[in-house]
Amino acid sequence: MSSPLRKPLIAGNWKMHLTLAQSLELARAVRDGVGDAASEVALCVPFTALALVAETLRGSRVRLGAQDLHWETQGAFTGEISPVQLVDAGATMTIIAHSERRRYFNETDEAVNKKLRAALAAKLVPILCIGETLEEREAQRTFKVLQTQLEGGLKGFAPVDLAPLVIAYEPVWAIGTGKTATPDQAQQAHLFVRKTCARLYGEGFASGCRILYGGSVKADNVDRLMAEPDIDGALVGGDSLKAASFLRIVHFQAPAAAR
Ligand code: PEP
């Protein structure tokens, strides 16, 4: 079970899905079903749905997030969205460096570092994604990859600046594939991430930093994952697109009962 120092966070990543009408319907259902869940809950929606979903969530305890951002506040960057625009649209969080962005849009750790700095400056809670591919795991390079992504992404910050940071460990081979990391595999990676954070930024930062697991989290595996001591929540793709499955994940069962 995660430390009481860290409030669990369940965040949905809608990716490039849903029309405005569908977004509205799903956001309403999540808002109305969240009840007294023990975790913090967030929906990371497409840019086009931000303002509308912000209205729907206003006054509720569900937070609104984006899925990416540009590091400049404004300027001639056609097609990009700035942190200022995200805040203006009602977002309070943003995913950064999702593996789909690293893979399909060649996002480097240097760009990730700039995005992180921009998000923090705009007071957006960043959810920084890291994770290894299947090839890297099979070559026993998982920890090396996580270390490189963390060192590159987090370069040059003071620990105090990183206080709002959320990290999401998302093994690439588990995203959208239906193959979830076992609770043991996920725990080992989370522990390594926490130890690396402690080495880079001190025990105080590391013990308060929330590390989410992402990769085919579903209603039927969330309880066992959340029973692990270093798993502080979930970043959920596919199963965040249906209210019933997402709400079951949000209301994960008390870890002690899940073992
Ligand atoms: C994700 O999009 O971050 C993700 C983990 O997707 P899925 O839950 O579908 O594997």
Side-chain angles (χ1 to χ4, degrees):
M1 180 176 183
S2 168
S3 158
L5 286 177
R6 306 185 294 267
K7 188 174 172 104
L9 167 63
I10 306 291
N13 173 15
W14 290 359
K15 308 196 190 197
M16 197 172 70
H17 290 292
L18 308 181
T19 62
L20 289 182
Q22 291 166 332
S23 300
L24 202 56
E25 191 182 332
L26 181 54
R28 277 189 189 137
V30 172
R31 178 197 65 192
D32 296 344
V34 74
D36 60 356
S39 42
E40 202 177 322
V41 180
L43 299 177
C44 298
V45 311
F47 293 135
T48 49
L50 279 170
L52 186 70
V53 174
E55 274 304 309
T56 312
L57 299 181
R58 191 184 300 279
S60 84
R61 43 175 301 229
V62 182
R63 301 184 63 162
L64 179 64
Q67 300 171 12
D68 189 25
L69 80 172
H70 189 67
W71 54 81
E72 295 288 345
T73 52
Q74 61 175 5
F77 299 99
T78 302
E80 295 292 333
I81 308 283
S82 84
V84 175
Q85 291 172 314
L86 295 185
V87 172
D88 188 43
T92 62
M93 299 189 141
T94 184
I95 296 172
I96 296 178
H98 192 281
S99 64
E100 286 149 16
R101 298 222 53 91
R102 292 183 189 264
R103 181 170 170 199
Y104 302 128
F105 302 97
N106 303 319
E107 199 151 289
T108 62
D109 287 328
E110 197 187 358
V112 169
N113 184 261
K114 288 189 199 171
K115 290 183 177 194
L116 189 54
R117 195 168 294 282
L120 289 165
K123 306 250 180 298
L124 288 163
V125 170
I127 303 177
L128 171 66
C129 299
I130 57 174
E132 81 287 0
T133 62
L134 184 58
E135 200 182 24
E136 289 162 343
R137 174 163 282 266
E138 286 175 349
Q140 322 289 331
R141 294 189 54 234
T142 297
F143 290 170
K144 181 75 198 135
V145 169
L146 298 180
Q147 180 179 329
T148 303
Q149 291 177 343
L150 280 172
E151 287 177 351
L154 301 182
K155 195 169 171 183
F157 288 96
V160 65
D161 297 335
L162 288 176
L165 177 72
V166 175
I167 296 172
Y169 167 62
E170 298 209 303
V172 179
W173 49 272
I175 298 179
T177 59
K179 284 186 205 158
T180 320
T182 64
D184 258 14
Q185 284 173 320
Q187 167 58 24
Q188 276 178 29
H190 281 231
L191 185 59
F192 175 80
V193 170
R194 201 173 303 287
K195 285 185 171 163
T196 304
C197 286
R199 179 172 58 73
L200 294 174
Y201 287 108
E203 286 291 341
F205 166 70
S207 58
C209 181
R210 290 182 290 182
I211 306 174
L212 314 184
Y213 170 77
S216 299
V217 175
K218 313 240 168 258
D220 64 5
N221 59 28
V222 65
D223 298 344
R224 281 186 300 133
L225 287 161
M226 289 304 294
E228 296 296 335
D230 287 287
I231 299 184
D232 307 315
L235 183 55
V236 186
D239 266 28
S240 71
L241 293 171
K242 293 255 161 40
S245 52
F246 186 63
L247 285 169
R248 172 61 185 84
I249 293 169
V250 164
H251 292 280
F252 66 87
Q253 302 295 303
R259 285 225 177 226

